[in-house]
Each structure stands twice: as C-alpha cells, then as structure tokens.
Amino acid sequence: MLQTTPATAPVAIPHAEGVSNEEFRAAMSRLAAGVVLVTAHDPDDGPRGEDVGMTATAFMSVSLDPPLVLVSLRNGSRMDDLLTEQPLWAVSVLSESQRHIAGRFAMKGRVSDRLLFEDIPYTRGEVSGALLVRGSLATLECRTEQRVEAGDHTLVIARVLTVGLPSGDGNPLSYFKGRYRQLG
C-alpha cells in the first residue's frame, strides 16, 4: 500500500548534535582539493571597471553535456555579490608554481584587487572580460546558469563557454589539511 504525506514547507535542519564546526572543518580538511583563481570584471566599478579575484578550492565539474562547473562562494563575499549581478566569469586552474597567487587572493579584508593583479601575467577573456592567469594549467570562461543557496554558501553552477590549456607543464596546486601542497 502506497502511503502519501501532505506536502510541507522545507524545514531548516539544525546543526547535527555532537558535530562542532571545528570537527567538521578538520574532517573536510582531509579531502585534498585542487586550487583555482575565480575572476570576474565589474564594469560598474570606476571608469574602466575593476577586476576581482578569489581563490577557491570548492570547484568541480558537474556535467559534460552541457559542460557545467560549480564553485562554492561564501554568502556576502565580494565575489558572491559580484556574481549575483555579473553572469560572466572565469577560472584559472593553478599550478604548484602559482602558490603565491593562491595565497594572495585568499587574504580576507583586502580593500582592492587592483594591486594584487599588478605583477601577475594574464590575458583578458574574450567572452567574459575576466582575467585569465598565464601559465595556469587550464582556463575556463563561464556563464552562470543557476545559483543554489546552501547554508552559509551559494553554489554557482555555470556553463563553460571557452576552454584554454595555456600550460601542459607542471603539476596542480592542491590544498590539504589547511595548507597548499604539491603532488609527490
């Protein structure tokens, strides 16, 4: 016999008993992740606009057909706010020799990204207008398709519009147990 239940509104599930933020963070730190630089161009900031960048480790492919990727953004972060308005953005998959770039764009509380980009070799994406780091293992230009709120983050799902493979040399930069790591 099939039982049905009346439709109810979604209920917020409280934080699991016995799992602290520190324990959860420690457990997730044991999952190695690749490191990317997410960039976007804010055309409304100043006369020539402003380029914005953010280091991310919560980035993954979602679908091959159509080509979709996902990045997780902290709610209220500058990138989250910008990608709410700007649907075009880019990703540079960083190599282990680009650790300094990852560290630079992971800093909290910075006023402007203009100085952070100053000595980084880059090209500007033809579709997104966002900066693409030269020497990265891969670059992708993306257009936001969907935003999903998930706790204190927003998952941004995007269609990949262009792909570049600027450098086949080198290993990926990874993040494990709270530190940037190299393979091997």
Side-chain angles (χ1 to χ4, degrees):
M1 178 165 181
L2 181 64
Q3 259 188 332
T4 60
T5 58
T8 59
V11 176
I13 300 171
H15 201 46
E17 279 188 45
V19 178
S20 70
N21 289 346
E22 293 76 26
E23 289 170 321
F24 181 68
R25 186 176 287 118
M28 293 296 94
S29 77
R30 283 153 174 81
L31 176 64
V35 182
V36 301
L37 182 67
V38 178
T39 56
H41 184 73
D42 184 356
D44 298 329
D45 194 349
R48 287 182 277 155
E50 185 173 1
D51 296 302
V52 178
M54 179 197 89
T55 301
T57 56
F59 176 79
M60 62 181 280
S61 68
V62 174
S63 169
L64 185 60
D65 187 16
L68 298 174
V69 293
L70 175 148
V71 66
S72 179
L73 305 174
R74 184 177 38 82
N75 291 342
S77 68
R78 182 149 187 229
M79 189 62 73
D80 180 43
D81 291 344
L82 177 56
L83 294 191
T84 299
E85 302 295 323
Q86 170 59 278
L88 298 173
W89 48 281
V91 173
S92 297
V93 178
L94 299 179
S95 72
E96 61 189 13
S97 67
Q98 295 171 319
R99 175 188 302 225
H100 65 288
I101 296 171
R104 185 181 294 187
F105 286 91
M107 291 186 304
K108 292 181 181 170
R110 58 187 194 267
V111 177
S112 171
D113 289 358
R114 186 167 291 135
L115 293 175
L116 299 180
F117 283 113
E118 201 168 76
D119 63 343
I120 296 173
Y122 62 82
T123 60
R124 193 169 291 282
E126 291 181 24
V127 175
S128 67
L131 301 186
L132 303 168
V133 178
R134 286 193 182 145
S136 57
L137 299 178
T139 59
L140 303 99
E141 290 186 274
C142 306
R143 182 185 65 234
T144 299
E145 299 267 315
Q146 186 178 3
R147 294 174 56 88
V148 179
E149 289 195 28
D152 59 0
H153 279 65
T154 298
L155 306 177
V156 179
I157 301 169
R159 182 179 297 260
V160 177
L161 305 173
T162 69
V163 171
L165 301 172
S167 177
D169 296 332
N171 289 319
L173 181 60
S174 61
Y175 194 73
F176 181 69
K177 289 188 176 180
R179 294 182 43 213
Y180 297 115
R181 308 286 181 141
Q182 297 177 344
L183 292 180

